[in-house]
Amino acid sequence: MDLQKLNVKFFVVPANTVPLTDFIDIFHGWIQATDGVYHDVADYSHMQAGPGIVLVANDANVGIDESGGRRGLLFDQKTVLAGSNQEKLCAVLRAALENCRRLVQEPALKGRIKFSGDEVSISLNDRLAVPNTPESFQALKPDFEAVAARLFKGASLALSYNKDDSRKRFSVAMRTFEPFDLDQLLGNIAVDSKYC
């Protein structure tokens, strides 16, 4: 199975301490600071447990997502990625972590937002290519396990997938039982690391 259209979500802790609409101005600032990378900000703050605030770009969207009742940064890779499944997983994890770090360093949010380093959710936005079945999980489990071991640098971990509803997108939760911060996670899957 070729992994594409990957979505990565890192969760905010403690949950929902910053008003969701604060991210609208922050993301507009990101648009102004780039040369056409980002195009628009979509406001779904009126939806309970919805997509939140989304920064739109051609290659990938970045958003403060509240689906599942849990706030987090959602990185949505839209363009095709080259490389092995493990290389693609590392690439989207890096991009998501870099955006998490950018938000943490955002002057308007200094000290007001923190991301959990012990859990990440990865979903595939293509039900045809990767159906939500036990067979998909078994086929992809070695790639997810290898990347989770790299991300969490050999710490004990658990993988699970959303097997309760085959109509939902295939999604894997990777969780460790040791604390990690964003910089540690980024270092563990850096481009020049021996792992990815």
Side-chain angles (χ1 to χ4, degrees):
M1 292 183 172
D2 180 34
L3 296 182
Q4 298 293 344
K5 299 181 182 176
L6 291 157
N7 294 183
V8 173
K9 185 173 181 179
F10 282 95
F11 299 96
V12 172
V13 289
N16 306 342
T17 56
V18 177
L20 189 56
T21 53
D22 285 9
F23 294 95
I24 295 171
D25 287 340
I26 290 166
F27 286 157
H28 276 295
W30 289 18
I31 291 173
Q32 294 167 5
T34 62
D35 188 19
V37 173
Y38 302 114
H39 305 292
D40 199 6
V41 176
D43 178 4
Y44 299 99
S45 60
H46 60 283
M47 296 176 63
Q48 184 175 1
I53 308 298
V54 181
L55 178 60
V56 180
N58 286 338
D59 295 338
N61 294 342
V62 177
I64 297 300
D65 177 80
E66 297 199 319
S67 60
R70 295 183 69 194
R71 180 178 286 184
L73 180 131
L74 180 66
F75 181 84
D76 174 16
Q77 180 67 43
K78 299 189 314 190
T79 55
V80 174
L81 295 173
S84 69
N85 283 342
Q86 291 182 33
E87 289 169 330
K88 291 180 232 179
L89 286 166
C90 286
V92 294
L93 284 164
R94 264 192 305 274
L97 285 163
E98 287 165 356
N99 281 284
C100 288
R101 185 167 59 183
R102 185 173 179 185
L103 274 176
V104 168
Q105 294 172 347
E106 184 67 38
L109 294 174
K110 277 286 192 187
R112 296 174 58 210
I113 189 166
K114 182 179 178 184
F115 291 93
S116 170
D118 64 357
E119 179 183 13
V120 60
S121 175
I122 302 174
S123 58
L124 284 88
N125 204 16
D126 190 337
R127 290 178 182 89
L128 185 60
V130 183
N132 188 20
T133 63
E135 293 79 17
S136 294
F137 183 62
Q138 288 307 313
L140 294 169
K141 188 176 179 182
D143 288 325
F144 279 94
E145 285 178 331
V147 170
R150 295 168 190 172
L151 180 66
F152 299 124
K153 207 160 189 177
S156 58
L157 57 94
L159 291 184
S160 60
Y161 86 104
N162 61 336
K163 59 186 172 187
D164 297 334
D165 188 348
S166 62
R167 295 171 297 175
K168 292 188 176 181
R169 295 180 299 163
F170 179 81
S171 179
V172 173
M174 300 189 308
R175 185 174 186 86
T176 186
F177 305 98
E178 298 178 27
F180 285 88
D181 64 33
L182 298 180
D183 289 333
Q184 287 174 305
L185 296 177
L186 273 165
N188 292 346
I189 59 165
V191 174
D192 58 353
S193 77
K194 64 180 180 177
Y195 296 118
C196 292

